[in-house]
Amino acid sequence: MCLLLAGATAAHAQVKTAPARPAQDDAPAEAAARTAQADKVRVLLVADFETTLSSPTTARISRLGVSMGLPFAAGQTLISFDCEEQQARLVMAKAELVGAQETLDARVRMQGLDQASAVEVAIAAAAVSKARGQVDLNDAQVGQCTIKAPWAGRIAKVHIKSFMSVTPGQPLLDLVKFGPLRLKLNLPSRLVAKVAKGTTFSVAIDETGRSYEARVNAVNSRVDPVSQTVEIEAVLAKAYPDLLPGMSGIASLTSLR
């Protein structure tokens, strides 16, 4: 009797149990979730322009007026070198130029009195040209005694120290230019037809927790065949003081679908 009651109870439970929802009913939701996830791609903030200044000469640093993170203006002197030798050579070259010019003037006057030949005048003129070239060379070397900022920006890295001797080509400073930052991202190739120069989208930066408007500035002319993405370069709508190169975030491309 107990066995019969247990069997009847199990059969009744099977009848009352609602059938499970077919697995295929979840397919549209999962596909939508995957699409939404694919429409959010990582972005990297980079400076509009950055460069590394290197030493143009062999010299000793006499003054280093910058430090990491310090802002600077266009044309501001960043580094000064000890160039007493170059300046002395410039003075000597100028003196030689004066002497060569006096010799040329004398030869020209003597030629007018038939006391100097045309060859002598030509040789004196060549000496003047050589002396003038030497002045220009030494003047250029003295001009390398100071490193000036090519544009307004901020110091990213300092490779040298005060009173340190440097050689030509040695890195001195890493500079980052002021201005709106650029963004690098790889867009899914299925969306490339919806993107053109000037297309706007939103980007959320991890470090600040805020969203910013960006505008597409350039689209690569080739799709990567492996990742099926195309490289996009964008620029922020304006300069934001709380953003720094190297920050990253997520670009929302839902509006492009």
Side-chain angles (χ1 to χ4, degrees):
M1 179 63 71
C2 293
L3 293 175
L4 292 175
L5 290 175
T9 303
H12 181 74
Q14 291 177 358
V15 173
K16 293 296 184 179
T17 302
R21 187 173 55 183
Q24 57 268 27
D25 291 348
D26 294 334
E30 293 177 358
R34 287 195 299 268
T35 302
Q37 185 66 25
D39 287 344
K40 294 183 178 181
V41 299
R42 298 294 302 178
V43 301
L44 176 67
L45 293 180
V46 297
D48 181 49
F49 193 80
E50 54 185 326
T51 188
T52 298
L53 298 181
S54 58
S55 174
T57 183
T58 299
R60 182 176 63 88
I61 298 173
S62 61
R63 189 177 70 87
L64 179 62
V66 295
S67 59
M68 186 181 67
L70 188 71
F72 55 83
Q76 177 181 334
T77 299
L78 304 177
I79 302 174
S80 297
F81 296 112
D82 183 3
C83 289
E84 294 182 358
E85 180 179 351
Q86 289 86 338
Q87 292 171 347
R89 288 178 179 176
L90 178 59
V91 172
M92 293 171 57
K94 288 182 177 180
E96 291 178 357
L97 176 59
V98 172
Q101 186 64 53
E102 291 291 341
T103 301
L104 175 60
D105 294 342
R107 290 289 187 270
V108 171
R109 289 193 298 267
M110 292 173 66
Q111 186 183 33
L113 300 174
D114 293 332
Q115 295 179 352
S117 64
V119 174
E120 293 176 319
V121 174
I123 293 175
V128 170
S129 298
K130 180 180 179 180
R132 184 173 290 113
Q134 193 65 38
V135 169
D136 294 339
L137 175 61
N138 285 276
D139 190 44
Q141 292 177 344
V142 170
Q144 294 176 346
C145 292
T146 56
I147 302 294
K148 298 182 180 295
W151 22 252
R154 192 181 298 273
I155 303 294
K157 186 175 182 179
V158 181
H159 297 273
I160 38 83
K161 298 179 180 179
S162 297
F163 309 111
M164 177 179 175
S165 295
V166 296
T167 57
Q170 181 175 341
L172 302 176
L173 302 171
D174 289 350
L175 309 182
V176 176
K177 186 178 181 180
F178 280 147
L181 299 177
R182 293 184 290 119
L183 292 84
K184 297 283 189 178
L185 64 151
N186 291 321
L187 186 75
S189 57
R190 61 185 175 79
L191 297 178
V192 69
K194 300 180 181 295
V195 175
K197 186 175 182 179
T199 302
T200 59
F201 60 93
S202 176
V203 56
I205 302 301
D206 297 340
E207 287 80 0
T208 64
R210 297 174 53 192
S211 294
Y212 307 85
E213 183 180 355
R215 181 179 67 255
V216 175
N217 191 42
V219 181
N220 199 327
S221 58
R222 181 177 60 184
V223 174
D224 187 282
V226 178
S227 63
Q228 288 297 296
T229 60
V230 60
E231 184 180 3
I232 300 293
E233 182 180 287
V235 62
L236 293 175
K238 62 179 182 178
Y240 295 94
D242 57 335
L243 296 181
L244 296 173
M247 290 183 175
S248 61
I250 297 177
S252 178
L253 308 174
T254 307
S255 60
L256 303 179
R257 287 189 296 174

